Amino acid sequence: MSFMQTKYIFVTGGVCSGLGKGIASASIGAILKSCGYKVSIIKMDPYLNPDPGTMSPFQHGEVFVTDDGYEADLDLGHYERFIDIPLSRQANLTTGQIYQELMERERKGEFLGKTVQIVPHVTNKIRDFIKKAAKNTGADFLIIEIGGTVGDIEGEPYLEAARQFHHEAGDNNVMFVHLTLLPFLATSGELKTKPTQMSVKELERRGIHPDMILARSDYHIPRNLLDKIAMFCDVDEQAVIPAPTISSIYEVPLNFAKANVSEIIFKKFGMFEKKPNLRQWQNLVKKIKASNGRQVAIVKVGKYTAHGDAYISVDEALKAAGFANNTKVKVIAVDSEKLESNDKKEWQVLKKADGILVPGGFGKRGIEGKIMAAKYARENKVPYFGLCLGMQIMTIEFARNVLRLKKANSTEFDPKTPAPVIATMLEQRKNIAEKNYGGTMRLGNQRAKLAAGSLSFKAYGQRIISERHRHRYEFNNDYKDAMEKAGLRIAGVNPDRHLVEIVEVKDHPWMVGVQFHPEFKSRPLRPHPLFREFIRAEMLYYGQ
Ligand code: GLN
C-alpha cells in the first residue's frame, strides 16, 4: 500500500487520429512502472457503443478481452503488453455506458424532476469513473487516455471533465500530455509545426494547458523545431519530446526515457527523481534488431485482412514467441475466401508457410477456405495453431475428413447440419433467439485442466490453466468419444462445466486448437507458452 496521493496524467491527441496515442500512453506507464511505482491506466472512448464488443474488427480493429470478460478497445491490449498489469472493465469508459446508465436512472425517477445534462451529469460521471479507478487500483500514477482528436464534437465532455478534474485535484496532482503530428512537406523539405500550435490552441480554448508535448513525425526533428514548439505553445523546452516513427513499437519506452520523460513528470509533480530501469526493454529491442538469419513465415488465414489492427494481439503474440526463440516471425495474411475459390497465388503462399494459424472470427463467410487450410496443415504435417474459431475449424475438418462425417459443421454456419460437432449451449441459444448480442458470449477467464502427455501440458508445465474466452459455440461432447478414438486428443477440459477447451491431433508434430484466446495473455517480455511452442515446433520441424 502506497501512501502517495495518486497523480493523474491525461493524454490527449491533436492534429489527426492514428498517431499511436495508446502506445505513447502505455510507454509512459512502462517507464513509471520501471521506476518502482504502481501504475494504472484507463481509456475514455467518446463513441456511443456501450463497449466495442459488437463493433467490426474491420472498422475498429481487434476487440480485446480482459480477465473479467470485458470486451475492450484494443488500446487496453497495448497497455497490458507494455505495463504488464491485468486490466478490467474499470479501465474503459465509453459515452454509450454513461448514457445507458443515466437514461436508466432517469427512467427510475432518480433525478427527482431535474433536467439531465451533459454538464454536470455526463462530466460528473467521467470524473467519478477516474476517481474510482484511482481508489480501486491504489495507483501512484493513473494515466487517462482520451480517445479521438481534440476538436471532435463527441470528445468535448471528456475534455471539460478533465479541465474540471484539474481544477478540483489541483495542478500538483494533474498533468496534461498532448500528442501531435509534425507533417513533412516534400516540396520545401520541411517539417511543419503550425498544426501542433493550432491543436494546442484548441486545447487551451477548453481551459487545458499541456505540460508536455509529444511530437510525432516520420522524420528526425531538429532541436530548433522542438524549441519553436516550446516557444509558441508555452511549454518547457525539455518537455517537447520528439517521437519519430521507429521500426518497433517496443522501442518507444526507450526513446521516451532517453528524452527524460520521467524526469519531466517528476518535476511537474514536485517529486524526487527515480531512474527508470528499462534493462529488459533494452535487451528486447537488441534482440528485435539483431539478425541471426533465422526467420519463420506464419500464414494467418482470415477474412478481415483489410484492417491492419484486426488481429493485433495475435500478431504481437507471434512476434513475442519469435523473440523467445531468437527468430524473426513473418506474419503473412491469407484470405480464406481466395483459398475457397482456389486462387492459385493464395494457395502458393499457404503452401510455402512454415506454420498455419487460424485466428478467431465470426460468421459463415470464408469458413470453407479455413477448413481447407486446416486439412492442408493436418495432411502435410505443417504446424497448425487454431485460436477459438480456429479450434472449431480444426474440429470440423477432423470430423469431416477423419471421422468421415461429411456434413459435419458448426451450427453457427449450418444450423441444420446432421453432425453438429460445434454447437451452442442452452444459455447461448436463448441469447441468439432474443438477439441479445452485446456482452452475452462466454467471456473472460475460464479454467482448463490439461491432459498429461499433451503438447499443451508440455508447453504450460502445469495442470490447471486459466485463459480468456469470447465465443458462443462449443465443442459438442456427443462427439467426444468418437473423435478421440479417431485420433483427436482432448488436451484440456473445463473442470467445472466439462467443456472441451483444447484439442490436438495425435499423429501430427504440432496441431493444437484452443477454444480461448491465448494471445490476450502474451506479453513481449513474457511470451505465451503455446505461441512459444508453436514457433519452436516450426523450427524443429523444418530443422532450423
Ligand atoms: N464464432 C465462434 C463462436 O462464437 C468463434 C468466436 C471467436 O473466434 N472468438 O463460438
Side-chain angles (χ1 to χ4, degrees), residues 355-380:
I356 296 174
L357 182 144
V358 178
F362 295 83
K364 197 172 168 24
R365 193 158 63 81
I367 287 298
E368 290 303 321
K370 292 179 189 174
I371 296 174
M372 288 158 113
K375 179 169 190 277
Y376 176 84
R378 185 178 53 75
E379 290 180 343
N380 295 283

mmCIF file of all heavy atoms in Angstrom, residues 355-380:
data_model
loop_
_atom_site.group_PDB
_atom_site.id
_atom_site.type_symbol
_atom_site.label_atom_id
_atom_site.label_comp_id
_atom_site.label_asym_id
_atom_site.label_seq_id
_atom_site.Cartn_x
_atom_site.Cartn_y
_atom_site.Cartn_z
ATOM 1 N N GLY A 355 4.221 -22.404 -40.853
ATOM 2 C CA GLY A 355 3.159 -22.723 -39.901
ATOM 3 C C GLY A 355 1.882 -22.017 -40.303
ATOM 4 O O GLY A 355 1.927 -20.969 -40.953
ATOM 5 N N ILE A 356 0.757 -22.599 -39.912
ATOM 6 C CA ILE A 356 -0.537 -22.026 -40.290
ATOM 7 C C ILE A 356 -1.308 -21.705 -39.019
ATOM 8 O O ILE A 356 -1.417 -22.546 -38.123
ATOM 9 C CB ILE A 356 -1.322 -23.024 -41.170
ATOM 10 C CG1 ILE A 356 -0.564 -23.240 -42.488
ATOM 11 C CG2 ILE A 356 -2.750 -22.525 -41.431
ATOM 12 C CD1 ILE A 356 -1.142 -24.301 -43.399
ATOM 13 N N LEU A 357 -1.826 -20.483 -38.969
ATOM 14 C CA LEU A 357 -2.607 -20.079 -37.800
ATOM 15 C C LEU A 357 -3.987 -19.630 -38.263
ATOM 16 O O LEU A 357 -4.097 -18.826 -39.188
ATOM 17 C CB LEU A 357 -1.884 -18.944 -37.078
ATOM 18 C CG LEU A 357 -2.533 -18.421 -35.798
ATOM 19 C CD1 LEU A 357 -1.464 -18.039 -34.778
ATOM 20 C CD2 LEU A 357 -3.429 -17.225 -36.061
ATOM 21 N N VAL A 358 -5.026 -20.177 -37.632
ATOM 22 C CA VAL A 358 -6.378 -19.692 -37.912
ATOM 23 C C VAL A 358 -6.883 -18.994 -36.649
ATOM 24 O O VAL A 358 -7.069 -19.625 -35.613
ATOM 25 C CB VAL A 358 -7.328 -20.841 -38.334
ATOM 26 C CG1 VAL A 358 -8.737 -20.295 -38.567
ATOM 27 C CG2 VAL A 358 -6.812 -21.509 -39.605
ATOM 28 N N PRO A 359 -7.041 -17.668 -36.733
ATOM 29 C CA PRO A 359 -7.443 -16.916 -35.543
ATOM 30 C C PRO A 359 -8.958 -16.935 -35.329
ATOM 31 O O PRO A 359 -9.684 -17.589 -36.073
ATOM 32 C CB PRO A 359 -6.957 -15.508 -35.868
ATOM 33 C CG PRO A 359 -7.015 -15.406 -37.344
ATOM 34 C CD PRO A 359 -6.809 -16.801 -37.884
ATOM 35 N N GLY A 360 -9.421 -16.172 -34.348
ATOM 36 C CA GLY A 360 -10.841 -16.094 -34.042
ATOM 37 C C GLY A 360 -11.622 -15.401 -35.141
ATOM 38 O O GLY A 360 -11.048 -14.720 -35.992
ATOM 39 N N GLY A 361 -12.924 -15.601 -35.127
ATOM 40 C CA GLY A 361 -13.754 -14.952 -36.126
ATOM 41 C C GLY A 361 -15.214 -15.339 -35.973
ATOM 42 O O GLY A 361 -15.551 -16.231 -35.202
ATOM 43 N N PHE A 362 -16.048 -14.645 -36.709
ATOM 44 C CA PHE A 362 -17.491 -14.852 -36.613
ATOM 45 C C PHE A 362 -18.099 -14.912 -38.007
ATOM 46 O O PHE A 362 -17.608 -14.271 -38.935
ATOM 47 C CB PHE A 362 -18.135 -13.698 -35.836
ATOM 48 C CG PHE A 362 -17.684 -13.653 -34.406
ATOM 49 C CD1 PHE A 362 -16.481 -13.032 -34.065
ATOM 50 C CD2 PHE A 362 -18.420 -14.258 -33.409
ATOM 51 C CE1 PHE A 362 -16.039 -13.003 -32.750
ATOM 52 C CE2 PHE A 362 -17.990 -14.238 -32.093
ATOM 53 C CZ PHE A 362 -16.802 -13.613 -31.756
ATOM 54 N N GLY A 363 -19.183 -15.682 -38.133
ATOM 55 C CA GLY A 363 -19.953 -15.692 -39.386
ATOM 56 C C GLY A 363 -19.415 -16.669 -40.409
ATOM 57 O O GLY A 363 -18.277 -17.131 -40.337
ATOM 58 N N LYS A 364 -20.276 -16.941 -41.376
ATOM 59 C CA LYS A 364 -20.067 -18.032 -42.324
ATOM 60 C C LYS A 364 -19.025 -17.724 -43.416
ATOM 61 O O LYS A 364 -18.371 -18.614 -43.944
ATOM 62 C CB LYS A 364 -21.433 -18.269 -42.984
ATOM 63 C CG LYS A 364 -21.582 -19.576 -43.691
ATOM 64 C CD LYS A 364 -23.063 -19.697 -44.090
ATOM 65 C CE LYS A 364 -23.382 -20.736 -45.012
ATOM 66 N NZ LYS A 364 -23.110 -21.822 -45.526
ATOM 67 N N ARG A 365 -18.895 -16.439 -43.725
ATOM 68 C CA ARG A 365 -18.047 -16.070 -44.865
ATOM 69 C C ARG A 365 -16.600 -16.552 -44.664
ATOM 70 O O ARG A 365 -16.010 -16.322 -43.616
ATOM 71 C CB ARG A 365 -18.078 -14.551 -45.042
ATOM 72 C CG ARG A 365 -17.511 -14.063 -46.337
ATOM 73 C CD ARG A 365 -18.060 -12.690 -46.667
ATOM 74 N NE ARG A 365 -17.694 -11.669 -45.681
ATOM 75 C CZ ARG A 365 -16.530 -11.041 -45.647
ATOM 76 N NH1 ARG A 365 -15.596 -11.339 -46.530
ATOM 77 N NH2 ARG A 365 -16.296 -10.133 -44.730
ATOM 78 N N GLY A 366 -16.080 -17.227 -45.686
ATOM 79 C CA GLY A 366 -14.677 -17.641 -45.657
ATOM 80 C C GLY A 366 -14.393 -18.902 -44.850
ATOM 81 O O GLY A 366 -13.239 -19.325 -44.740
ATOM 82 N N ILE A 367 -15.428 -19.500 -44.264
ATOM 83 C CA ILE A 367 -15.227 -20.661 -43.386
ATOM 84 C C ILE A 367 -14.637 -21.856 -44.146
ATOM 85 O O ILE A 367 -13.692 -22.506 -43.669
ATOM 86 C CB ILE A 367 -16.573 -21.046 -42.710
ATOM 87 C CG1 ILE A 367 -16.926 -20.022 -41.651
ATOM 88 C CG2 ILE A 367 -16.526 -22.460 -42.120
ATOM 89 C CD1 ILE A 367 -15.928 -19.921 -40.518
ATOM 90 N N GLU A 368 -15.180 -22.145 -45.315
ATOM 91 C CA GLU A 368 -14.715 -23.335 -46.044
ATOM 92 C C GLU A 368 -13.227 -23.223 -46.392
ATOM 93 O O GLU A 368 -12.497 -24.205 -46.375
ATOM 94 C CB GLU A 368 -15.564 -23.571 -47.298
ATOM 95 C CG GLU A 368 -16.997 -24.029 -47.007
ATOM 96 C CD GLU A 368 -17.091 -25.315 -46.168
ATOM 97 O OE1 GLU A 368 -16.281 -26.242 -46.383
ATOM 98 O OE2 GLU A 368 -17.961 -25.374 -45.274
ATOM 99 N N GLY A 369 -12.781 -22.007 -46.698
ATOM 100 C CA GLY A 369 -11.359 -21.797 -47.002
ATOM 101 C C GLY A 369 -10.485 -22.110 -45.791
ATOM 102 O O GLY A 369 -9.391 -22.667 -45.912
ATOM 103 N N LYS A 370 -10.982 -21.759 -44.610
ATOM 104 C CA LYS A 370 -10.225 -22.034 -43.389
ATOM 105 C C LYS A 370 -10.172 -23.546 -43.140
ATOM 106 O O LYS A 370 -9.150 -24.079 -42.699
ATOM 107 C CB LYS A 370 -10.868 -21.317 -42.183
ATOM 108 C CG LYS A 370 -10.738 -19.807 -42.284
ATOM 109 C CD LYS A 370 -11.384 -19.093 -41.110
ATOM 110 C CE LYS A 370 -11.409 -17.593 -41.386
ATOM 111 N NZ LYS A 370 -12.115 -16.816 -40.395
ATOM 112 N N ILE A 371 -11.287 -24.231 -43.432
ATOM 113 C CA ILE A 371 -11.306 -25.688 -43.256
ATOM 114 C C ILE A 371 -10.307 -26.336 -44.226
ATOM 115 O O ILE A 371 -9.583 -27.272 -43.868
ATOM 116 C CB ILE A 371 -12.745 -26.240 -43.451
ATOM 117 C CG1 ILE A 371 -13.655 -25.677 -42.342
ATOM 118 C CG2 ILE A 371 -12.769 -27.763 -43.458
ATOM 119 C CD1 ILE A 371 -15.131 -26.016 -42.474
ATOM 120 N N MET A 372 -10.225 -25.802 -45.431
ATOM 121 C CA MET A 372 -9.259 -26.321 -46.407
ATOM 122 C C MET A 372 -7.827 -26.132 -45.897
ATOM 123 O O MET A 372 -6.966 -27.011 -46.063
ATOM 124 C CB MET A 372 -9.421 -25.594 -47.758
ATOM 125 C CG MET A 372 -10.680 -25.964 -48.517
ATOM 126 S SD MET A 372 -11.083 -24.651 -49.699
ATOM 127 C CE MET A 372 -10.830 -25.483 -51.210
ATOM 128 N N ALA A 373 -7.581 -24.988 -45.278
ATOM 129 C CA ALA A 373 -6.228 -24.708 -44.748
ATOM 130 C C ALA A 373 -5.892 -25.682 -43.619
ATOM 131 O O ALA A 373 -4.758 -26.184 -43.532
ATOM 132 C CB ALA A 373 -6.148 -23.266 -44.245
ATOM 133 N N ALA A 374 -6.889 -25.985 -42.764
ATOM 134 C CA ALA A 374 -6.658 -26.926 -41.655
ATOM 135 C C ALA A 374 -6.381 -28.334 -42.210
ATOM 136 O O ALA A 374 -5.518 -29.056 -41.698
ATOM 137 C CB ALA A 374 -7.867 -26.941 -40.727
ATOM 138 N N LYS A 375 -7.108 -28.690 -43.249
ATOM 139 C CA LYS A 375 -6.908 -30.020 -43.859
ATOM 140 C C LYS A 375 -5.480 -30.107 -44.422
ATOM 141 O O LYS A 375 -4.774 -31.098 -44.219
ATOM 142 C CB LYS A 375 -7.934 -30.207 -44.987
ATOM 143 C CG LYS A 375 -7.835 -31.535 -45.731
ATOM 144 C CD LYS A 375 -9.075 -31.719 -46.635
ATOM 145 C CE LYS A 375 -9.186 -33.100 -47.215
ATOM 146 N NZ LYS A 375 -8.388 -33.316 -48.415
ATOM 147 N N TYR A 376 -5.095 -29.026 -45.089
ATOM 148 C CA TYR A 376 -3.743 -29.000 -45.668
ATOM 149 C C TYR A 376 -2.694 -29.161 -44.559
ATOM 150 O O TYR A 376 -1.753 -29.949 -44.686
ATOM 151 C CB TYR A 376 -3.529 -27.691 -46.445
ATOM 152 C CG TYR A 376 -2.132 -27.573 -46.977
ATOM 153 C CD1 TYR A 376 -1.778 -28.172 -48.190
ATOM 154 C CD2 TYR A 376 -1.137 -26.919 -46.245
ATOM 155 C CE1 TYR A 376 -0.470 -28.116 -48.659
ATOM 156 C CE2 TYR A 376 0.167 -26.861 -46.700
ATOM 157 C CZ TYR A 376 0.499 -27.453 -47.907
ATOM 158 O OH TYR A 376 1.786 -27.411 -48.363
ATOM 159 N N ALA A 377 -2.876 -28.433 -43.467
ATOM 160 C CA ALA A 377 -1.908 -28.496 -42.352
ATOM 161 C C ALA A 377 -1.861 -29.903 -41.766
ATOM 162 O O ALA A 377 -0.790 -30.435 -41.475
ATOM 163 C CB ALA A 377 -2.291 -27.484 -41.276
ATOM 164 N N ARG A 378 -3.037 -30.517 -41.594
ATOM 165 C CA ARG A 378 -3.067 -31.858 -40.977
ATOM 166 C C ARG A 378 -2.405 -32.880 -41.897
ATOM 167 O O ARG A 378 -1.544 -33.643 -41.470
ATOM 168 C CB ARG A 378 -4.512 -32.265 -40.667
ATOM 169 C CG ARG A 378 -4.623 -33.599 -39.917
ATOM 170 C CD ARG A 378 -6.056 -33.957 -39.591
ATOM 171 N NE ARG A 378 -6.928 -33.929 -40.753
ATOM 172 C CZ ARG A 378 -6.960 -34.865 -41.711
ATOM 173 N NH1 ARG A 378 -6.189 -35.922 -41.634
ATOM 174 N NH2 ARG A 378 -7.770 -34.734 -42.747
ATOM 175 N N GLU A 379 -2.787 -32.870 -43.157
ATOM 176 C CA GLU A 379 -2.284 -33.894 -44.069
ATOM 177 C C GLU A 379 -0.800 -33.746 -44.368
ATOM 178 O O GLU A 379 -0.094 -34.718 -44.582
ATOM 179 C CB GLU A 379 -3.085 -33.864 -45.375
ATOM 180 C CG GLU A 379 -4.497 -34.354 -45.153
ATOM 181 C CD GLU A 379 -5.349 -34.351 -46.422
ATOM 182 O OE1 GLU A 379 -4.976 -33.672 -47.410
ATOM 183 O OE2 GLU A 379 -6.393 -35.015 -46.412
ATOM 184 N N ASN A 380 -0.338 -32.493 -44.379
ATOM 185 C CA ASN A 380 1.068 -32.258 -44.717
ATOM 186 C C ASN A 380 1.948 -32.043 -43.485
ATOM 187 O O ASN A 380 3.103 -31.663 -43.606
ATOM 188 C CB ASN A 380 1.182 -31.077 -45.682
ATOM 189 C CG ASN A 380 0.529 -31.408 -47.005
ATOM 190 O OD1 ASN A 380 1.102 -32.130 -47.832
ATOM 191 N ND2 ASN A 380 -0.698 -30.949 -47.201
#
